[in-house]
Amino acid sequence: MSVVNVRRQRSNDNCAQKSHKELVSCVGWTTADELYSCSEDHQILKWNLLTRKFHLVSKIGRIEKSVEAHKGAVLAGRWNYDGTALITAGEDGQIKIWSKSGMLRSTLASQGSPVYSVAWGPDSDRILYTSGRQLVIKPLQPSSKVIQWKAHDGLVLMVDWNSVSDLILSGGEDCKYKVWDSFGRLLYSSSSHDYPITSLSWAPDGEVFSVGSFNTLRLCDKTGWSYALEKPNTGSVFSLAWSADGTQLAGACGNGHVIFAHVVEQHWEWKNFVITLTKRRTMQVRNVMNDAVDVLEFRDRVIKASLAYGHLVVATSLQCYVYNSRNWNTPLIFDLKEGTVSLILQAEKHFLLVDGAGLYAFSYEGRLISSPKFPGMRADILNAQGVSLSNDTIAIRDKSDEKVILLFDALTGKALSDGKPLTHKLEVMEVALDQCGPSTERKIALIDKNRDLYLTSARHLGREPKICKIGSMVHCMAWNDGANILCGVQDNQLTVWYYPSAVFTDKDLLPKTLYIKDGSEFSRTPHILSYVGTKVALRQGDGSLVYSSIPPYPALLHEYSTSARWEDALRLCRFAKGGTRGTEGEALVLRAFSFDPSPPSTSGKSLVAAWLFPESQSSLSLPRVQYINFIKEQPSKESSLAHMLMFSGQVQEAEATLLQAGLIYQAIQVNIDLFNWERALEMAVKHKTHVDTVLAYRQKFLQKFGRKETNKRFLQYAEGVEVDWEKIQAKIEMELSKERERAANASVRSSVASRR
Amino acid sequence: MAKDPLAEAGFYFDELNKLRVLEPDVSQKTSELKEECKEFVDKIGQFQKIVGGLIELVDELAKEAETEKMKAIGARNLLKSVAKQREAQQQQLQALIAEKKMQLERYRIEYEALSKVESEQNEFIDQFILQK
């Protein structure tokens, strides 16, 4: 999306609808197409946008209940998000909470000056109100801390608080509007306008907001910069309201008009396609390769759309259209249950629709695959930062406890790993799943409250997964669509993690797989929009789009390694090395690659590694090469797998693998090598073999460091056991040959089986 | 000439030899007066009519003058407000221009970024061809 225009809707003569005789003070939507407006001519009008009629309500409408709420005028009133409580603020400076039936629950605050505007917090547990030039956030619990800060140089006239993005908007008589986070930190302050800001309103999805002033209507991005400005001849816009689907906007004007605006001219880009929403129900698809233009018409107005992985998904108020980029003529159409789709996420094989009622994963053939559910789900406040989709997994940040990430299988909708969610130590701000590779290696990247970037495995069996930190000061991130490459904006510079999983193998390798692009070409905090192919699209703080290209080699390497085409990979490496610039990173990613512990067959990888490492004289890499060679020389599959696990620091798994294969000596030896004496002895005693081996090694170790045995258990066993090195060596040799024999048998057996 | 006894008694004969109690002179004068009076009344009536017309005309004129005056005042006020209107319009247009300028600047930055990407890609292609 790059440009959005506000237009007066339903206006043949380009003039807004005149209906009230006096100024219109308030508007509000009930459904997507029904609006109420009230005016100082003592009338409430009901507008139906489909039939183009309006009804007078004041004369016939029955007033259910009328309550004397404040001394002086009531200036603001708002329902909470589930409609169970009403809050009112008045000229007498009091804020009162009312039940649904109109009973006074409590007087929350009282001050000397009028309260002009009030808003509920995202969970309806806090309220925000104006106090002269200040803004106050007050929790409903009486003991909790109140936040208060000076917001404007003039009276604050209007506030709004979005439940999805948790951002606060304020506008005042100093003719500025400002965006704040919920801690009262200023995120954006507009330049001074000509007239006071009289109204503000967040779109329900929290991506855009509208600002009203004298003869002015503005549409702005959540980061504050302005998409479009309209100068309707309406007088001051006193109230603005978005329809629930976030596509239509109504404004109450000082001259008695009610204006309707509609958001159009959104852009979507993917590879060589540019799609523009030209009218409410029309999209234009442009193929920039051959300048072919297709026009897509819809029966209802477009609410949300998404373009990725060769598919365009468009949600209108009643139906969902799925287009394939190869054929724009015949979309797949299916009906939607609820009209207000708030989010569309796409993966290669399917896409996810989020509406007020829940999440639904559909295949591109239009088949409902799954619908993940969890207790306390509030699908209406999910945003793109809190949900992530890959071909097999769905990750959702739990809104009730933001440290928790819920993981679901995309194909069944069931919770992964026995319903045990992933728990981080801090509040999680953003989650993203990688898009490629087998489902067992699915990784999830998350950014927490401290803006640290972590990586962990999404699918884990039994034990707690390791959550490894791979970056700090990361503002936003995105996975590549075709390879497991992660990019992020780190402290104003663009960082690409060519092989983030390297952190599981070796932390020291990670910095070598980084590609950092100088931040000087970007101005204020850019935000990543997409990372497709080798192109990263970023949106800068001032709203401009910038692109950055990432060298193509790593993605190719990923591709070769997943398809185990090591000879091609090697050729690519040679080619990249021979280049003049930007090749170091590629070489480094290879290094990490060759240590990828997952597939046991390492011949191709070690080939690549062997080619790479003789050249690089890095002290870091040499012992690793030796170890890789050592792994290659292991007599059996099991022990090389175990050593691979050891290599990536998963000692317990390595031990378990060996024990499972019945290689008890090898398991003991592993522990001896790690100086894990107690465990080695324990195992030796338990399996009644190699106690002398353990003791012998222990003695050797103690001698080397000139120490004496103090461990009681060792002393105890040392008494009964004679240490004879020759005997031990012979025993070890025997064990190894036994293992070799077994491995040979196994391979013969498997080859026989394969021949059959 | 001997006095007419009739005359003495106050009787006279007129030209038609009818007996009269008024002297012929007087009678003649009287009738003359009457004529003159009548004439006078006629003239006065005529005068009144003329004056009435005049008044009406003047009234109309006054009315017209009044409306013209109002028109002039209105026009003068309009003229005054046009300046203000223009100012407001100018302000509005300037706001719109500023908006467009910002958009232009955004496009310019985007273009620059894309040009850079293009040059990078060209460089890559060159390098690729050279290596082959």
Side-chain angles (χ1 to χ4, degrees):
Chain A
M1 199 201 320
S2 72
V3 178
V4 184
N5 264 355
V6 176
R7 266 194 207 150
R8 249 161 292 154
Q9 183 216 344
R10 191 163 68 101
S11 46
N12 299 333
D13 52 354
N14 213 17
C15 171
Q17 302 292 311
K18 180 136 188 165
S19 59
H20 291 287
K21 294 177 194 80
E22 301 274 332
L23 72 83
V24 188
S25 54
C26 188
V27 285
W29 296 82
T30 50
T31 65
D33 294 301
E34 202 173 82
L35 177 94
Y36 285 87
S37 66
C38 32
S39 155
E40 295 199 346
D41 58 5
H42 305 286
Q43 284 185 335
I44 297 174
L45 293 189
K46 176 178 156 194
W47 302 74
N48 191 320
L49 298 190
L50 290 181
T51 57
R52 304 188 171 194
K53 281 178 187 161
F54 59 82
H55 311 280
L56 284 171
V57 178
S58 73
K59 300 271 158 55
I60 33 170
R62 188 164 58 91
I63 295 169
E64 297 245 336
K65 189 161 186 179
S66 169
V67 183
E68 184 79 24
H70 292 272
K71 285 183 199 125
V74 181
L75 295 176
R78 261 192 219 238
W79 289 99
N80 70 352
Y81 291 102
D82 48 6
T84 52
L86 175 73
I87 194 158
T88 59
E91 260 181 340
D92 55 359
Q94 291 196 327
I95 294 173
K96 293 177 178 179
I97 297 184
W98 308 82
S99 73
K100 208 159 124 184
S101 56
M103 301 294 289
L104 181 65
R105 278 202 195 144
S106 60
T107 301
L108 203 64
S110 106
Q111 62 183 37
S113 57
V115 179
Y116 286 100
S117 184
V118 64
W120 287 95
D123 298 321
S124 300
D125 60 348
R126 286 175 292 173
I127 58 151
L128 166 75
Y129 63 90
T130 68
S131 169
R133 297 174 177 197
Q134 295 189 314
L135 288 179
V136 184
I137 294 179
K138 187 161 184 168
L140 295 190
Q141 258 118 26
S143 55
S144 315
K145 209 177 127 226
V146 176
I147 310 174
Q148 183 167 3
W149 73 95
K150 183 176 178 247
H152 287 268
D153 295 327
L155 274 181
V156 184
L157 293 178
M158 198 62 141
V159 290
D160 198 8
W161 196 345
N162 187 266
S163 60
V164 176
S165 62
D166 198 17
L167 295 175
I168 291 170
L169 266 179
S170 66
E173 283 192 341
D174 62 350
C175 309
K176 287 178 183 171
Y177 60 88
K178 295 182 180 185
V179 185
W180 313 84
D181 70 5
S182 57
F183 303 100
R185 285 180 297 211
L186 181 67
L187 301 179
Y188 178 83
S189 172
S190 77
S191 56
S192 194
H193 286 61
D194 301 324
Y195 302 97
I197 305 295
T198 47
S199 57
L200 293 162
S201 180
W202 278 108
D205 62 0
E207 289 297 316
V208 291
F209 62 88
S210 52
V211 177
S213 177
F214 179 76
N215 278 358
T216 305
L217 185 63
R218 207 181 252 286
L219 184 74
C220 302
D221 187 74
K222 66 175 172 192
T223 48
W225 59 277
S226 149
Y227 277 112
L229 173 71
E230 282 283 307
K231 288 277 184 186
N233 207 5
T234 55
S236 287
V237 181
F238 284 109
S239 172
L240 283 167
W242 286 87
S243 65
D245 55 15
T247 58
Q248 297 183 101
L249 176 73
C253 307
N255 62 351
H257 288 65
V258 175
I259 56 165
F260 293 98
H262 202 94
V263 179
V264 291
E265 280 187 30
Q266 290 156 315
H267 286 301
W268 293 269
E269 278 181 29
W270 181 78
K271 292 199 172 163
N272 53 328
F273 292 104
V274 181
I275 297 182
T276 313
L277 184 70
T278 47
K279 284 183 225 156
R280 278 184 298 155
R281 285 173 225 167
T282 314
M283 273 184 174
Q284 194 194 55
V285 183
R286 234 175 88 97
N287 183 348
V288 290
M289 300 278 273
N290 54 10
D291 262 343
V293 173
D294 287 277
V295 176
L296 315 179
E297 298 271 353
F298 303 97
R299 221 175 61 192
D300 309 290
R301 65 172 185 284
V302 174
I303 291 174
K304 278 270 172 298
S306 170
L307 175 68
Y309 296 101
H311 287 89
L312 169 71
V313 181
V314 180
T316 66
S317 48
L318 293 172
Q319 286 168 318
C320 182
Y321 294 70
V322 183
Y323 290 87
N324 192 316
S325 63
R326 273 171 303 207
N327 179 7
W328 296 107
N329 296 323
T330 46
L332 190 120
I333 306 170
F334 60 91
D335 288 346
L336 289 172
K337 271 184 242 155
E338 204 168 325
T340 52
V341 171
S342 58
L343 184 65
I344 302 174
L345 289 178
Q346 282 182 273
E348 196 187 342
K349 290 186 183 138
H350 42 248
F351 62 93
L352 187 76
L353 291 184
V354 182
D355 66 17
L359 295 89
Y360 308 96
F362 289 93
S363 69
Y364 287 112
E365 287 79 48
R367 192 169 48 84
L368 179 69
I369 299 174
S370 66
S371 167
K373 285 190 177 64
F374 55 93
M377 178 166 80
R378 271 187 69 192
D380 54 325
I381 55 170
L382 288 174
N383 58 9
Q385 273 81 45
V387 194
S388 183
L389 175 75
S390 73
N391 278 340
D392 42 60
T393 315
I394 300 170
I396 303 166
R397 180 186 57 173
D398 194 348
K399 195 75 193 174
S400 53
D401 181 4
E402 291 188 341
K403 292 174 189 164
V404 173
I405 299 164
L406 304 163
L407 293 161
F408 299 93
D409 192 310
L411 303 175
T412 61
K414 292 207 175 79
L416 281 182
S417 54
D418 312 324
K420 224 168 72 188
L422 186 70
T423 310
H424 188 55
K425 54 184 193 282
L426 271 173
E427 278 83 354
V428 176
M429 307 303 283
E430 201 172 331
V431 294
L433 287 163
D434 63 356
Q435 298 294 322
C436 302
S439 62
T440 46
E441 284 172 45
R442 190 61 56 234
K443 301 280 187 296
I444 179 165
L446 51 99
I447 296 176
D448 71 10
K449 215 169 139 188
N450 287 352
R451 289 285 155 198
D452 289 333
L453 177 62
Y454 287 85
L455 189 74
T456 186
S457 165
R459 297 195 174 219
H460 47 87
L461 297 164
R463 76 207 161 78
E464 274 296 298
K466 221 158 78 175
I467 303 183
C468 296
K469 182 173 164 181
I470 57 172
S472 52
M473 293 294 289
V474 180
H475 298 292
C476 54
M477 57 166 170
W479 286 97
N480 186 256
D481 66 333
N484 286 342
I485 301 174
L486 183 70
C487 75
V489 175
Q490 196 175 16
D491 203 13
N492 235 9
Q493 64 192 10
L494 183 69
T495 308
V496 181
W497 286 265
Y498 278 150
Y499 186 61
S501 301
V503 76
F504 296 118
T505 317
D506 195 323
K507 276 202 177 80
D508 303 333
L509 277 174
L510 189 74
K512 306 218 162 211
T513 67
L514 290 186
Y515 172 79
I516 294 172
K517 218 161 185 184
D518 186 22
S520 57
E521 57 185 290
F522 311 122
S523 66
R524 296 171 42 203
T525 54
H527 184 86
I528 298 173
L529 292 179
S530 70
Y531 180 18
V532 176
T534 60
K535 201 172 80 172
V536 183
L538 303 117
R539 169 90 66 193
Q540 294 190 150
D542 61 353
S544 53
L545 276 169
V546 288
Y547 299 94
S548 196
S549 67
I550 308 295
Y553 304 118
L556 285 171
L557 266 180
H558 272 278
E559 200 185 309
Y560 287 145
S561 72
T562 43
S563 53
R565 287 158 62 192
W566 294 107
E567 285 71 24
D568 291 336
L570 188 59
R571 212 174 315 132
L572 180 74
C573 291
R574 287 207 178 107
F575 173 73
K577 270 241 152 168
T580 46
R581 60 176 261 296
T583 52
E584 203 180 5
E586 283 85 48
L588 290 167
V589 74
L590 258 184
R591 238 178 264 178
F593 253 105
S594 48
F595 299 123
D596 186 351
S598 38
S601 82
T602 53
S603 60
K605 288 187 176 188
S606 50
L607 192 72
V608 176
W611 179 81
L612 271 170
F613 287 118
E615 286 184 30
S616 65
Q617 295 302 314
S618 156
S619 58
L620 173 87
S621 52
L622 279 175
R624 289 169 210 283
V625 179
Q626 281 167 7
Y627 201 83
I628 287 264
N629 287 331
F630 170 68
I631 291 168
K632 259 166 66 187
E633 283 159 14
Q634 287 301 308
S636 73
K637 233 181 183 168
E638 286 85 4
S639 27
S640 60
L641 177 66
H643 281 285
M644 270 296 183
L645 286 167
M646 288 270 289
F647 190 80
S648 53
Q650 293 162 303
V651 180
Q652 280 183 354
E653 284 70 33
E655 194 195 283
T657 314
L658 287 171
L659 286 178
Q660 220 168 22
L663 302 170
I664 292 153
Y665 156 68
Q666 280 81 350
I668 293 170
Q669 187 63 44
V670 160
N671 277 309
I672 291 172
D673 290 345
L674 290 168
F675 309 110
N676 200 352
W677 301 107
E678 297 237 352
R679 176 75 187 145
L681 186 65
E682 190 188 312
M683 273 166 52
V685 171
K686 193 177 156 199
H687 296 280
K688 297 200 177 66
T689 82
H690 289 288
V691 179
D692 52 347
T693 317
V694 178
L695 289 172
Y697 274 103
R698 171 80 173 177
Q699 257 180 18
K700 210 170 154 191
F701 163 75
L702 287 174
Q703 266 173 16
K704 214 170 175 181
F705 288 93
R707 288 223 205 134
K708 280 210 164 156
E709 183 64 81
T710 50
N711 192 314
K712 269 184 195 160
R713 288 192 66 180
F714 276 94
L715 284 172
Q716 184 197 330
Y717 283 103
E719 276 171 19
V721 180
E722 192 73 9
V723 174
D724 182 351
W725 271 104
E726 275 174 29
K727 242 166 90 188
I728 291 165
Q729 292 292 358
K731 238 163 109 185
I732 291 173
E733 202 46 56
M734 202 180 73
E735 290 277 0
L736 289 178
S737 61
K738 227 199 292 177
E739 190 188 339
R740 238 168 258 137
E741 216 169 278
R742 264 184 41 181
N745 281 344
S747 67
V748 167
R749 230 178 292 142
S750 66
S751 64
V752 167
S754 67
R755 232 172 278 161
R756 277 181 197 160
Chain B
M1 183 177 140
K3 272 200 178 176
D4 193 346
L6 274 174
E8 265 172 35
F11 296 99
Y12 306 95
F13 291 95
D14 65 2
E15 302 93 55
L16 300 169
N17 292 324
K18 276 190 177 166
L19 192 71
R20 298 266 175 167
V21 282
L22 262 178
E23 266 182 70
D25 288 359
V26 175
S27 160
Q28 199 187 338
K29 289 255 169 76
T30 304
S31 66
E32 262 172 34
L33 185 68
K34 191 181 156 195
E35 280 298 312
E36 258 170 53
C37 274
K38 203 176 173 185
E39 216 167 288
F40 177 71
V41 167
D42 274 357
K43 272 185 182 162
I44 285 290
Q46 217 172 346
F47 176 71
Q48 208 164 13
K49 212 165 133 198
I50 287 166
V51 166
L54 187 74
I55 285 172
E56 219 169 86
L57 213 73
V58 168
D59 269 357
E60 243 167 64
L61 217 67
K63 228 183 246 169
E64 247 166 69
E66 194 66 27
T67 51
E68 285 305 316
K69 207 167 89 190
M70 289 311 281
K71 262 188 200 165
I73 290 169
R76 200 178 296 158
N77 285 347
L78 215 64
L79 197 69
K80 266 185 204 161
S81 74
V82 157
K84 265 186 191 162
Q85 251 180 43
R86 287 267 172 263
E87 212 172 287
Q89 254 175 15
Q90 198 182 349
Q91 212 176 35
Q92 282 195 3
L93 287 174
Q94 230 133 34
L96 288 171
I97 288 168
E99 191 71 18
K100 293 274 177 242
K101 263 189 186 156
M102 260 156 69
Q103 186 60 40
L104 179 71
E105 177 64 14
R106 286 201 280 264
Y107 282 137
R108 193 189 60 74
I109 292 170
E110 189 177 342
Y111 175 74
E112 264 174 25
L114 281 172
S115 308
K116 208 171 160 192
V117 169
E118 191 193 8
S119 70
E120 274 174 15
Q121 280 179 353
N122 280 335
E123 203 176 305
F124 173 75
I125 291 167
D126 289 346
Q127 186 198 329
F128 193 76
I129 291 167
L130 272 176
Q131 294 252 326
K132 256 197 171 158

